[in-house]
Amino acid sequence: MEKTSSYNRILVAAAAIFLLAVTYSEAQVLNKPEAADNPNLAGNSAWTAACASDSFNEYFVNFTWNPPMVDSDNEFVLELSDANGNFGAPRELARLGDKNATFDFEFQFAVPTDVRGESYKMRVRSTSPAKTSPASDAYPMHYVDYSSPLLISEDASGTIPPGGEIQLCGGASIVLSPHNIPNANTYQYNWYRSGTLLVEKTEQITVSTPGMYYVELDYGSVCSGSANTLSNTIEVTTGTSQGIAINGSADIGLCAGDAHTLEANISGSGLTYTWYKDGAIVAGPTLEAHTYNVNTSSSGFEGDYEVEVDGPSACLERSSSITIRNLGDFTVTRENDANIVLLPSQTKTLTVSTSATTPTYQWYKDGVAISGETNSTVIINETGVYHATVTETGGGCSGAPIDSENTTVVSPDSFEFVIAYAGAYASCQNSDATISLSAINAVGGSGARTDVTSDLESSFSYQWLHDGSTVSGETSKTITISDFQNNGSYTLEGTLNTFNASSNDLPISLVTNLSLNITSNGTVLCEGADPIVFNSSESLTGETFEWTRDGVTIDTSSETINAAETGVYQLTITTHDCPVVSNEVTINAFDESLLVLDQPEDLIIIEGETETVTASGAESYEWFDANNTLLGTLDSYDFQTEGQYLLVANFGNCTLNRVVTVSYRDNFAIPNVITVNGDGINDLWILPNTYSRKDDVLVTIYDERGKEIFSQSNYENNWPESTTLFNKQSMVFYYTVARSGENLKQGTITVIR
């Protein structure tokens, strides 16, 4: 038997060496992939560059290989290099698992959307056996994700100059950049000056040299043209600054009909002049027209004038503006308030200002001229409506007199205050609030009101009142309330000479700092248990309150309530004019699923070790053994011994019981030696409970020649039934343990007599 076994091992080793030699001498040959014709397009030619886009992205590669055959589970994978042809991190383009018997086939692939380069290569890799083909030739590959003409402008402003021309003066430079492409900095560009390709590749270039500039996206030597991204052209020219200006004063006053000529400080040299008034062209562009006659006979001749010059080798530039004023056109401005309150024995000063060069003044009261009041100011001591009339008398021309705005001077019968919240305020939400005087109205005999706030707010003395009572120390125009115990109605009173004024009422309701909590003796409602009772942390005696369930009022008179239904319970107390809302307590219906164990109720442990069972969902727990002995009151218990245990979980007034059964796990190995000497010790081959007495477990035993001598389902730990089978001192048998045709265990049994 030993010789036969050795001989067989020699044959197996020789066969392995032979197969290895065959494998090395006849390994598969993977050839480099090559670009192939697209069968879905007209014509019959392989692609030389991949210019993909969202409208077309379908390419084919031909691949051939030579036997021997690959494994049945093999897949051929087409991989792509980086833009420089390196395969340090190849990208998968396609994968085929149905070509293991085809020696010449094609891959179909799409160009990834981030591919842009001129030297991409491809290769093919087999997975079983693992081999890699040589790299293909280099191909330009670009995913053209933008294929519209670019638009370029200075600093990507989006403004293309008229005629596309930009002039540079005095060695200046500008930055050109496209303004209509998203994520412009993620692309490379081809910039051109007058047809010559420049070295710059970024999205913007700085230029100072004259020429015709345009750009396109750089999609390589083949794909750039097909992308159709060539931009508009910007012509950059250069010139010399002339330092243009308008001679004379920068502020000129003229009368209608006056003759006046504006003159540029530079003349001749073949320059072209354009004259502007208030930014609009009024003359030109005209060659050599370095002067401009202002037409003062036309209405609106006044304004700001400029001149612009241009010419061969000269920069296009515009002068600073000069101002021409119409001396017959002026303004009059009232310098005091429109409404003034005049108290008994008081005087007030009214004032106007004007832009007239040589003005005269006349003051009027109620439409009648006031004798002798011919200055820019007047002192008054009577009520009425006042204004001044201003006339221009100098500057060589005169215009129509202009009246100032009216000033209304009143002597009130009374005053009233208007107070308002300063800043945002919401009742029962703010922790503080500020009230301020917002207006003082003078009230006439007819009830007419005149706002005199700015004139008199510093003249009144003030006093704040809370619910009609004086607030000590609060004598300014503003009061801040920061204590909810001071909630109530606030008013402001004031005095000025013999006048008393009072305001409207404003209520203040600040949020209280009372913390209201409700508690219950349970949260689970179950039949037959004691009632669930709610209590409040605050006394409800003398308070206005309401108990609610799910937002609906259920009681407004009881200091404690019983929960008769499931729902969300809450208490609200109204104190200091504001509601104080308690926490929410949710009462649930009793449900056995509320109790959750993190281990099965039939718990199997290894003898000598500890297994912990943790419960959750209840309020308290009690663990008992089979003798009803209390073992613990935590939410978990450590089990070490077989047996039955009782868990009593308390849910307020409800309880739930769970029985946990603990048994030991089989903890011994399948024996590989038995002694059949009849001494009753180790005479039988005993299997663990995991495999013995199981209807679905088949136990089979073979002799040393491989002959089956025992086979039994529901093994009863009864082999061998006789010792007559053993005619040697030590005999070796083989066994298998299987379930449903699946081998669970196998090994040897040595029988010693």
Side-chain angles (χ1 to χ4, degrees):
M1 184 74 181
E2 226 173 80
K3 282 185 178 181
T4 302
S5 178
S6 299
Y7 179 74
N8 288 339
R9 284 197 296 270
I10 293 171
L11 289 177
V12 169
I17 294 171
F18 173 76
L19 290 174
L20 184 61
V22 170
T23 300
Y24 275 101
S25 62
E26 298 184 18
Q28 293 85 3
V29 175
L30 308 186
N31 299 314
K32 72 176 183 180
E34 296 180 349
D37 173 54
N38 187 329
N40 300 317
L41 299 178
N44 185 22
S45 61
W47 55 276
T48 57
C51 303
S53 66
D54 58 356
S55 61
F56 178 80
N57 197 356
E58 182 184 62
Y59 294 89
F60 290 82
V61 167
N62 180 256
F63 170 66
T64 61
W65 63 285
N66 298 326
M69 304 301 291
V70 293
D71 297 331
S72 60
D73 61 347
N74 174 69
E75 291 180 305
F76 288 106
V77 182
L78 178 64
E79 295 181 333
L80 182 67
S81 71
D82 63 16
N84 297 316
N86 299 319
F87 285 94
R91 301 173 62 171
E92 182 176 317
L93 294 179
R95 179 183 291 258
L96 296 175
D98 59 351
K99 302 297 183 182
N100 292 336
T102 305
F103 301 104
D104 187 345
F105 59 88
E106 292 182 351
F107 287 98
Q108 178 183 343
F109 72 93
V111 175
T113 58
D114 60 347
V115 163
R116 295 177 194 152
E118 295 291 282
S119 299
Y120 283 95
K121 295 182 179 181
M122 295 169 289
R123 70 183 186 186
V124 176
R125 177 174 56 84
S126 63
T127 61
S128 182
K131 291 184 65 64
T132 303
S133 77
S136 71
D137 296 338
Y139 293 97
M141 286 189 183
H142 294 267
Y143 186 87
V144 180
D145 58 349
Y146 190 87
S147 56
S148 298
L150 299 177
L151 295 176
I152 59 173
S153 56
E154 184 175 358
D155 294 323
S157 63
T159 301
I160 299 175
E165 182 179 345
I166 297 176
Q167 187 181 60
L168 302 180
C169 292
S173 63
I174 60 169
V175 174
L176 297 179
S177 182
H179 61 254
N180 66 326
I181 179 172
N183 304 313
N185 62 344
T186 64
Y187 294 88
Q188 290 196 66
Y189 297 79
N190 293 325
W191 285 94
Y192 298 88
R193 181 177 64 242
S194 300
T196 300
L197 179 65
L198 304 178
V199 297
E200 289 87 348
K201 290 292 183 181
T202 57
E203 80 273 15
Q204 62 180 26
I205 62 170
T206 301
V207 301
S208 58
T209 303
M212 310 288 284
Y213 289 86
Y214 51 93
V215 71
E216 67 178 353
L217 290 180
D218 182 5
Y219 284 125
S221 57
V222 178
C223 301
S224 293
S226 63
N228 191 35
T229 62
L230 201 63
S231 74
N232 59 304
T233 298
I234 296 292
E235 181 181 4
V236 175
T237 62
T238 58
T240 303
S241 174
Q242 303 296 307
I244 189 69
I246 298 177
N247 291 329
S249 173
D251 189 350
I252 302 170
L254 299 175
C255 294
D258 287 350
H260 189 79
T261 299
L262 299 178
E263 182 181 32
N265 66 333
I266 299 172
S267 62
S269 304
L271 298 177
T272 298
Y273 297 81
T274 305
W275 290 89
Y276 294 82
K277 174 182 172 292
D278 296 330
I281 295 176
V282 293
T286 306
L287 184 66
E288 304 289 351
H290 71 285
T291 61
Y292 174 73
N293 295 321
V294 179
N295 183 8
T296 59
S297 298
S298 65
S299 175
F301 68 85
E302 63 275 5
D304 293 329
Y305 288 80
E306 301 165 308
V307 64
E308 187 177 78
V309 65
D310 191 14
S313 300
C315 287
L316 176 69
E317 55 183 323
R318 191 179 299 188
S319 71
S320 298
S321 64
I322 65 149
T323 300
I324 294 181
R325 292 182 293 103
N326 185 347
L327 294 178
D329 187 11
F330 58 94
T331 61
V332 177
T333 304
R334 182 188 64 208
E335 299 294 345
N336 48 261
D337 293 336
N339 300 295
I340 294 178
V341 173
L342 187 66
L343 300 179
S345 303
Q346 270 190 331
T347 61
K348 295 287 184 180
T349 299
L350 308 182
T351 304
V352 295
S353 61
T354 181
S355 63
T357 304
T358 310
T360 61
Y361 301 89
Q362 177 61 59
W363 283 93
Y364 291 79
K365 175 181 175 291
D366 298 329
V368 178
I370 305 173
S371 176
E373 297 297 342
T374 58
N375 295 316
S376 61
T377 62
V378 63
I379 298 175
I380 56 101
N381 57 11
E382 295 179 352
T383 61
V385 178
Y386 293 83
H387 79 272
T389 298
V390 181
T391 303
E392 173 68 88
T393 61
C397 54
S398 62
I402 298 177
D403 292 340
S404 70
E405 295 177 300
N406 288 334
T407 298
T408 301
V409 180
V410 298
S411 181
D413 288 349
S414 63
F415 292 95
E416 69 175 9
F417 292 163
V418 178
I419 59 174
Y421 302 110
Y425 169 77
S427 178
C428 298
Q429 295 185 27
N430 287 54
S431 59
D432 58 56
T434 299
I435 308 174
S436 293
L437 174 68
S438 63
I440 302 175
N441 291 326
V443 183
S446 64
R449 286 168 169 76
T450 303
D451 186 341
V452 293
T453 307
S454 61
D455 193 37
L456 294 181
E457 63 180 342
S458 60
S459 301
F460 271 92
S461 59
Y462 300 97
Q463 178 60 60
W464 285 95
L465 290 83
H466 172 217
D467 291 337
S469 299
T470 299
V471 182
S472 177
E474 295 293 346
T475 57
S476 68
K477 293 176 292 184
T478 300
I479 185 173
T480 298
I481 303 96
S482 56
D483 187 343
F484 70 89
Q485 297 187 18
N486 294 326
N487 283 359
S489 179
Y490 286 80
T491 56
L492 178 63
E493 293 184 348
T495 58
L496 175 62
N497 296 337
T498 60
F499 292 95
N500 295 312
S502 61
S503 74
N504 54 306
D505 294 338
L506 276 186
I508 293 296
S509 298
L510 300 180
V511 63
T512 68
N513 58 9
L514 181 66
S515 179
L516 179 61
N517 289 288
I518 59 173
T519 57
S520 66
N521 61 342
T523 58
V524 180
L525 195 65
C526 55
E527 186 176 353
D530 294 336
I532 297 176
V533 180
F534 281 98
N535 289 283
S536 167
S537 62
E538 298 293 325
S539 173
L540 303 182
T541 303
E543 300 285 355
T544 301
F545 63 90
E546 62 177 17
W547 292 93
T548 60
R549 181 182 63 247
D550 296 333
V552 178
T553 301
I554 57 174
D555 194 300
T556 59
S557 60
S558 304
E559 291 205 24
T560 63
I561 63 169
N562 294 344
E565 298 181 34
T566 60
V568 178
Y569 288 77
Q570 207 164 19
L571 173 64
T572 301
I573 299 176
T574 302
T575 180
H576 296 92
D577 300 323
C578 288
V580 180
V581 183
S582 75
N583 57 303
E584 295 180 346
V585 175
T586 302
I587 303 300
N588 296 308
F590 183 67
D591 183 354
E592 290 191 5
S593 65
L594 294 175
L595 178 61
V596 178
L597 301 182
D598 68 345
Q599 298 273 26
E601 294 178 27
D602 290 326
L603 182 64
I604 298 175
I605 67 174
I606 297 174
E607 187 175 3
E609 295 187 4
T610 300
E611 192 73 37
T612 301
V613 176
T614 301
S616 60
E619 297 176 9
S620 63
Y621 307 89
E622 294 175 303
W623 301 87
F624 297 90
D625 64 12
N627 297 320
N628 205 31
T629 301
L630 179 63
L631 303 176
T633 58
L634 300 177
D635 62 350
S636 63
Y637 184 74
D638 298 331
F639 291 97
Q640 295 178 311
T641 308
E642 283 186 314
Q644 285 193 324
Y645 298 84
L646 176 66
L647 168 62
V648 179
N650 300 296
F651 298 82
N653 296 328
C654 305
T655 60
L656 179 63
N657 298 337
R658 290 281 178 86
V659 175
V660 177
T661 301
V662 179
S663 58
Y664 289 140
R665 184 193 303 270
D666 291 333
N667 198 30
F668 59 91
I670 296 176
N672 60 0
V673 176
I674 61 174
T675 58
V676 291
N677 54 11
D679 62 356
I681 301 174
N682 200 29
D683 285 338
L684 297 175
W685 188 51
I686 306 299
L687 295 185
N689 294 339
T690 305
Y691 306 120
S692 63
R693 299 179 176 87
K694 304 291 184 183
D695 290 335
D696 60 342
V697 176
L698 175 66
V699 176
T700 305
I701 300 175
Y702 305 87
D703 65 15
E704 61 183 2
R705 297 179 180 273
K707 178 182 179 181
E708 179 180 305
I709 63 170
F710 180 87
S711 182
Q712 185 182 84
S713 297
N714 195 19
Y715 177 58
E716 296 292 339
N717 291 328
N718 56 347
W719 186 84
E721 296 177 348
S722 170
T723 62
T724 59
L725 294 173
F726 313 108
N727 52 16
K728 296 180 182 179
Q729 177 60 33
S730 296
M731 299 183 65
V732 178
F733 297 82
Y734 303 92
Y735 72 87
T736 61
V737 179
R739 177 185 287 115
S740 302
E742 179 182 1
N743 192 22
L744 302 177
K745 292 287 183 178
Q746 63 185 19
T748 63
I749 310 169
T750 300
V751 179
I752 301 174
R753 293 185 59 185

